């Protein structure tokens, strides 16, 4: 809104208030959850700040793929080296016992434990002011699926046909 600063400021304030409301609605779902964060170096820069706003406990974070020494803030603050061997990676995940993992590439954690809920980053990220809260809303929907082993709310069908 070039040349219309008062309208732009009003729009920004309205959007900030709505963003705050969305965050407050999502915080009870995510607050205190232990999470692993595996992000590619591009396109996910809003995720660490979103997780902080939601009250998520990020137990380990990693940028995978190219290691870059750029000056952008979050990738330097959150990067960590991580085991590349599958068995070492699995042992490290087992030791941390997170409840959730956010991946921007499924190959970052090719063999997740059955108790770990894996949430996709890129597929759920859109553009715009509400990109983070929109993604968190979709992730919250994934958390609503009660799992019985690898079955989703199908325990009675499993017992009927396979036991």
């Amino acid at each position: 809104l070039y040349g219309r600063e008062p309208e732009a400021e009003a729009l920004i304030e309205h959007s900030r208030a709505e963003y705050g409301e969305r965050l407050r609605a999502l915080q009870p779902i995510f607050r205190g959850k232990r999470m692993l964060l595996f992000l590619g170096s591009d396109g996910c820069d809003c995720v660490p700040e979103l997780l902080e706003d939601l009250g998520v406990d990020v137990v380990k974070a990693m940028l995978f793929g190219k290691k870059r020494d750029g000056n952008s803030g979050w990738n330097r603050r959150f990067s960590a080296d991580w085991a590349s061997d599958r068995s070492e990676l699995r042992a490290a995940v087992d030791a941390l016992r997170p409840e959730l993992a956010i991946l921007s590439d499924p190959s970052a954690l090719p063999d997740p434990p059955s108790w770990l809920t894996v949430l996709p980053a890129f597929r759920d990220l859109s553009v715009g002011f509400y990109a983070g809260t929109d993604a968190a809303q979709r992730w919250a929907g994934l958390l609503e699926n009660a799992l019985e082993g690898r079955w989703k709310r199908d325990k009675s069908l499993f017992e009927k046909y396979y036991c």
Side-chain angles (χ1 to χ4, degrees), residues 33-61:
K33 298 269 190 218
R34 295 174 49 81
M35 181 178 289
L36 285 175
L37 187 58
F38 291 87
L39 295 178
S41 56
D42 297 319
C44 290
D45 54 344
C46 70
V47 173
E49 184 177 346
L50 171 68
L51 296 177
E52 186 176 320
D53 291 344
L54 290 171
V56 172
D57 177 18
V58 178
V59 294
K60 189 82 166 178

Side-chain angles (χ1 to χ4, degrees), residues 3 11 18 24 27 29 31 33 41-42 46 48 50 55 57 62 76 83 110 114 125-126 128 136 141:
L11 178 62
E18 186 173 338
R24 282 187 290 283
Q27 284 170 339
I29 299 166
R31 185 178 292 119
K33 298 269 190 218
S41 56
D42 297 319
C46 70
L50 171 68
D57 177 18
M62 179 191 166
R76 296 175 67 90
S114 61
L125 284 174
S126 58

Side-chain angles (χ1 to χ4, degrees), residues 1-9:
L1 298 173
Y2 180 73
R4 297 169 46 194
E5 286 78 12
E7 290 105 341
E9 289 300 323

Side-chain angles (χ1 to χ4, degrees), residues 74-137:
W74 73 267
N75 69 347
R76 296 175 67 90
R77 185 174 64 170
F78 287 95
S79 293
D81 288 326
W82 196 254
S84 58
D85 177 73
R86 282 179 91 168
S87 60
E88 289 177 21
L89 178 61
R90 179 61 185 262
V93 170
D94 286 342
L96 289 170
R97 292 302 283 188
E99 300 167 73
L100 308 170
I102 289 186
L103 309 177
S104 60
D105 181 349
S107 68
L109 189 61
D111 185 26
S114 61
W115 46 262
L116 180 65
T117 301
V118 177
L119 305 172
F122 274 137
R123 187 186 77 205
D124 288 332
L125 284 174
S126 58
V127 295
F129 192 79
Y130 304 112
T133 55
D134 289 346
Q137 186 64 49

